[in-house]
Amino acid sequence: MRKLVGDNCARIRKLEGLTQEQLAEKSGLTQQYLSDLERGKRNPTIVTIYEMRWRSACRT
């Protein structure tokens, strides 16, 4: 399940044209956390996933 979540996070991030560094800056997460998440090494909470999406959608 973690791998599926990670694959989807990476796919969406790439579709939005963001690097891990850019998403990290927008979401308040670290680049290392995002890397681990995308590789299926982390088990994010639903709140973490929501905040990543919401903050990445709020382009400034």
Side-chain angles (χ1 to χ4, degrees):
M1 182 58 107
R2 286 184 297 199
K3 183 65 174 147
L4 179 63
V5 170
D7 288 345
N8 283 326
C9 287
R11 181 180 55 80
I12 292 167
R13 174 182 58 78
K14 290 173 185 175
L15 283 173
E16 292 182 354
L18 296 173
T19 65
Q20 286 181 347
E21 292 83 8
Q22 290 168 325
L23 181 56
E25 186 176 313
K26 289 179 175 284
S27 67
L29 302 170
T30 66
Q31 185 274 329
Q32 183 62 52
Y33 181 87
L34 293 173
S35 175
D36 288 348
L37 176 67
E38 290 182 3
R39 291 182 292 125
K41 304 291 182 189
R42 296 283 183 139
N43 194 17
T45 66
I46 193 71
V47 172
T48 299
I49 294 170
Y50 172 81
E51 288 184 354
M52 276 183 1
R53 280 298 297 142
W54 186 82
R55 290 183 181 169
S56 70
C58 295
R59 297 171 191 255
T60 56

